[in-house]
């Protein structure tokens, strides 16, 4: 990555009635918007990289049910959602890993499970590789983080320019179930993508040619193979954004891993199969035994 942000306004401290805005805390110097629910062993949920995304938009259907079994923490990563956008922030893996670690430090969390969606999966891998003692278990969902030829879907998502029509078009890539992709949802996500500062930071992260950003998010094979962690890998069989082969690669490379593939499912596992996702992830993170 390595692009530097242009100056953008900080996230508002609060906004009445907006569920996307949770609590604020400074993590590695970045004022971070995050959600914190439940009690028990903490799990850090890291969102994907779609336009207008936030932690709440990504995880809204699963945070409350999973918080019945564990503490769930879902931050807006730098450049996304309602976390502040500063002129001096570089959007790269070093920044995002430092922010995730800084959030854990600020909350007094020594070790956590890490659940990463797409871009968030690449970040989860990098965090576990660089700071293995801070991660107990991994859940990698439709994950980036290994080499693959960029798909037309991902190229379209990262190349988004704001309009309702463009948002409607790229959302068609996300879900297998077309009923989930309606004009109302596209309008909501379009409006999110044009909030002050959102598109400016997003456009600066993944300029064309975009294969280089797939490569920049990838960890080295030998580092992934050396991971000692238990890992649950989840993918939609019909994913048109991140190919199933990425998760098959992770299954081969991570010694203590298991792969669950949902049929009739695109890139939105946690939305298209939310109840099953909650049971699968909850059981994996809460099971007894060596972790």
């Amino acid at each position: 990555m390595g692009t530097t942000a242009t100056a953008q306004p900080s996230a508002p401290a609060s906004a009445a009635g907006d569920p996307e805005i949770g609590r604020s805390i400074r993590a590695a110097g970045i004022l971070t918007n995050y959600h914190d629910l439940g009690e028990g062993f903490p799990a850090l949920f890291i969102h994907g990289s779609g336009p207008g995304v936030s932690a709440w938009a990504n995880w809204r259907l699963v945070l409350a049910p999973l918080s019945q079994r564990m503490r769930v923490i879902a931050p807006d990563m730098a450049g996304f959602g309602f976390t502040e956008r500063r002129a001096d922030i570089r959007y790269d893996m070093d920044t995002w890993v430092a922010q995730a670690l800084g959030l854990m430090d600020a909350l007094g969390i020594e070790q956590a499970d890490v659940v990463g969606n797409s871009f968030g999966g690449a970040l989860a891998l990098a965090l576990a590789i660089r700071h293995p003692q801070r991660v107990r278990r991994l859940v990698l969902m439709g994950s980036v983080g290994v080499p693959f030829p960029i798909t037309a879907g991902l190229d379209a998502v990262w190349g988004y320019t704001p309009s309702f029509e463009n948002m409607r078009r790229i959302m068609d890539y996300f879900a297998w179930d077309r009923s989930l992709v309606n004009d109302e949802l596209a309008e909501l996500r379009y409006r999110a993508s044009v909030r002050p500062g959102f598109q400016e930071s997003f456009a600066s992260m993944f300029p064309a040619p975009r294969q280089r950003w797939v490569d920049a998010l990838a960890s080295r094979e030998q580092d992934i193979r050396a991971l000692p962690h238990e890992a649950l890998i989840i993918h939609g069989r019909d994913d048109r954004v991140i190919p199933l082969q990425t998760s098959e690669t992770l299954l081969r490379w991570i010694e203590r891993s298991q792969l669950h593939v949902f049929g009739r499912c695109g890139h939105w596992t946690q939305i298209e199969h939310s109840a099953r996702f909650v049971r699968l992830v909850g059981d994996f993170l809460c099971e007894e035994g060596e972790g």
Side-chain angles (χ1 to χ4, degrees), residues 268-289:
W268 277 348
T269 311
Q270 82 284 21
I271 294 173
E272 294 193 81
H273 294 270
S274 60
R276 289 171 173 171
F277 178 91
V278 165
R279 289 195 298 271
L280 183 66
V281 172
D283 288 349
F284 173 71
L285 295 183
C286 295
E287 71 184 8
E288 297 295 330

Side-chain angles (χ1 to χ4, degrees), residues 113 135-137 228-230 256 289-291:
D113 296 324
V135 177
R136 187 183 68 163
R137 289 187 169 190
H229 308 83
E230 292 271 7
R256 303 175 69 195
E290 186 180 357

